[in-house]
Structures are given as C-alpha cells and as structure tokens.
Amino acid sequence: MLRRSLVVLSLLASATIARAGPASEIAPVQSRQVMQFKSGSDQTVFGGLEFIGGIEMTSPNPLLGAISAIRFRPGSDSFVAVMDTGHWIEGAVVRDDAGRLQGLTELTVTSMTDGNGGAELKKWRVDSEGLALRDGEAIVSFEQLARIEIYPDPGFARSKPVRQMALPFPVEELRVNGGLETIAIAPKDSPLRGAAVIVAERSVDKADNLLAGILDGPMKGAFTVVREEPYAVTDGDFLPNGDLLLLERRFNLASGLGMRIRRIAAGDIRPGAVVDGEVLLMADMSYQIDNMEGLDVVVRPDGEVRVIVVSDDNHSILERNLMLEFRLILD
C-alpha cells in the first residue's frame, strides 16, 4: 500500500510539473555590428531599399538559432520570433547613438506548447516557419506537419493553441519540406481588410505557380504566385499601402546563397489571381547575407517604413544569425 501511494504521489507531482508550463530560458547574446551591406563598399542604396545597418548574433545558449520568422511590436523595438525547432523568442533590439542596430536584450527562448498542453520536440511536428500578430492572436504556420495554429497574445508562450485556420487548398498539395513558410496580415484599410495571407515556399499548382491563399475576410480564397527558379519564398509582410513584400532565397552549389525581395501590388491579390511583382533588392554572396528566412515591415513613430530581415543559421557553425535593416525608398 505504501509503495502504491508513493507511485500515485509521484504521478501527481509529475502532472503538477507538466502543468507548470513550457521550459523557458534566458539567452545572452553577443552582437557585432554590420556596417556595410555589400562587402568592401560604402554603397547604401540597393534597388528600392537603403541599408541602415545590421548585427551578427551569437550566444553561449545553444538554443538560439534557426530563426524562421520575426514580428516587431507596433511603435517599439520589442519583437516576437519563432524558430523552426518549435520555440518562441521574445526580446528587443538595442540601437546606437545613430539609430542603427547594435544588439539584442531581454532575450527569452520558450518551447512551444502543443494542442495537448505539452512541449513537442519532434522536428516534423514543430517546424514553425511563419508568424503573424493580429488583434490578440499570434498566428503560426507549420511546414512539415502542415497547419496554421492560433495562440493567444499576450500569453502565447505559456498557452496551447486555441484553434486552427483552414487552408484554401488541399493540404496534400503541400510539399513536406516546401510548404507553409509565409503568413502575414494585410492592413485593415487595404482591399484585403486585415485578412491573413499565406504563401508556400516551393509547393506549386499544375502551372508551376506557388500555392497561396487569403485565409479569411471578404476575399477569402486561393491564389498563386509566379515562381522563378531557383528562388523559394521564405517570408513576407505587408506595406502600409497593402502591397506585399516577399523574401526569397536561393541556394545552389554553383552560385551559392542569394536573396531577393519582391513587391506584389495590393490590387493584384485576390482569389483566383496569379500574381507577380517588381524586385526591390537582389543580393548574392558578395553581400552580408546568409540563409535569409524572416522579414518584417516596421513603421517607425515618424512614419518611416523599415524592412528588417533575419537569417536562420540551422544551428550550424558554417552559417550566421543576421539581422539587417533597410529603409524603404520606393513608395
């Protein structure tokens, strides 16, 4: 009887620990400023963007890395990010006297909670690639086990998802490692009226166009994005006027890494459309880039529009964690 009681007490203690919430760790960060976007050049204007500055980040905490999406809080330097290892990141950027990125502070890494209230560590289940914030919601897109889950905001780091969003196309059409990468929220006064929009990384329709969709609102439905090899869409966000910026990455052994940012006109995004747009910026390995995965549009208090991009180091010593900031100069 005593042994059975001890077992019961042990199980109750385990359950209490499980309910205490997901694991959370502080991640101290060392940052090195990136003063030039093109190596060895003082050029600052690149296409439709002006380079402001950047940082390269390292941490003694092995959790930090694999950043796949980032969203800044309106009017502040605080941000939320997700890693494709199934973790949230919360923190803030620090700026120097000239207003350039200098470092990160208050960085906390927390394991995501699944629908059962537990921390799921299997990569194929927690491959979080996209993030959007909207009216009390933190919306996350997952790639390998394709789904879109909504967490409460604030409170996402300590909560399980409250519901899922339906896709506008069969989930079977998504590639296992080329599926849901981008999720972004359109401005409320744009034609999409604040709707959530998704774009796949490499999953295509029969015409070889990327699968995309408007998940809610008055224009709910599927559309596609023109695909241009060897680029794959890794993230995106909306400009204040409703245009959509898409971050795209390429990699091959012949030419190495590359990135570009494409701008899709607001009026083109509608159900049944095939959309394309102008390229605002292109960069190769002669620039300070890496495996660029995340993009956010930030409106400064003075109304200036900034574009911030981050890289995913895949927890590899051969890759870097970068955060780069640009000013939009083409409106």
Side-chain angles (χ1 to χ4, degrees), residues 31-319:
S31 300
R32 180 184 67 84
Q33 283 188 296
V34 177
M35 308 301 289
Q36 298 173 322
F37 182 50
K38 184 173 176 59
S39 300
S41 171
D42 292 329
Q43 178 183 353
T44 59
V45 176
F46 304 89
L49 298 170
E50 179 185 4
F51 181 63
I52 302 298
I55 51 175
E56 178 181 344
M57 305 162 286
T58 59
S59 173
N61 188 324
L63 279 178
L64 184 63
I67 300 172
S68 53
I70 187 168
R71 298 295 180 208
F72 281 79
R73 296 293 189 182
S76 78
D77 281 327
S78 297
F79 64 83
V80 181
V82 293
M83 299 190 295
D84 62 21
T85 52
H87 292 84
W88 302 100
I89 304 176
E90 298 174 83
V93 298
V94 176
R95 297 181 180 274
D96 64 16
D97 293 340
R100 297 175 298 230
L101 295 173
Q102 186 178 48
L104 301 181
T105 187
E106 303 172 359
L107 207 66
T108 304
V109 180
T110 308
S111 57
M112 287 182 169
T113 303
D114 64 17
N116 297 318
E120 177 59 71
L121 299 179
K122 295 177 182 178
K123 170 69 174 178
W124 66 276
R125 292 185 60 88
V126 298
D127 189 7
S128 49
E129 295 287 351
L131 171 67
L133 303 177
R134 178 180 68 176
D135 297 336
E137 299 177 335
I139 310 172
V140 181
S141 60
F142 293 83
E143 185 174 38
Q144 294 188 48
L145 182 60
R147 65 197 189 278
I148 298 171
E149 295 191 325
I150 298 179
Y151 295 78
D153 180 31
F156 53 80
R158 295 291 172 182
S159 303
K160 62 183 180 180
V162 294
R163 65 184 179 91
Q164 291 190 1
M165 299 186 78
L167 299 176
F169 43 73
V171 68
E172 293 80 12
E173 295 185 21
L174 293 168
R175 297 184 184 181
V176 173
N177 199 30
L180 302 176
E181 283 271 340
T182 298
I183 183 162
I185 304 301
K188 291 181 179 180
D189 58 355
S190 72
L192 298 180
R193 298 291 188 269
V197 171
I198 56 169
V199 180
E201 180 184 13
R202 289 192 305 270
S203 299
V204 297
D205 65 3
K206 294 180 180 180
D208 203 37
N209 295 314
L210 294 167
L211 297 176
I214 305 163
L215 300 185
D216 48 19
M219 298 178 68
K220 181 178 179 180
F223 67 99
T224 56
V225 178
V226 171
R227 179 191 187 200
E228 185 175 333
E229 284 282 11
Y231 287 97
V233 173
T234 57
D235 205 1
D237 197 15
F238 284 89
L239 294 173
N241 72 348
D243 289 356
L244 175 63
L245 296 188
L246 292 178
L247 175 65
E248 298 176 280
R249 172 195 59 209
R250 65 168 171 80
F251 175 74
N252 57 58
L253 295 177
S255 58
L257 284 169
M259 66 159 275
R260 72 178 191 177
I261 296 176
R262 191 171 18 155
R263 182 174 183 169
I264 311 297
D268 293 346
I269 304 172
R270 59 187 184 278
V274 180
V275 304
D276 196 0
E278 64 174 323
V279 175
L280 292 186
L281 179 147
M282 293 187 68
D284 57 23
M285 293 184 68
S286 65
Y287 295 76
Q288 292 286 349
I289 65 168
D290 210 279
N291 176 34
M292 308 312 292
E293 280 269 353
L295 177 148
D296 192 28
V297 172
V298 177
V299 180
R300 302 289 292 172
D302 61 1
E304 186 177 84
V305 178
R306 302 280 181 92
V307 178
I308 293 179
V309 293
V310 294
S311 68
D312 171 0
D313 73 340
N314 288 306
H315 287 118
S316 167
I317 61 173
L318 302 177
E319 299 176 64

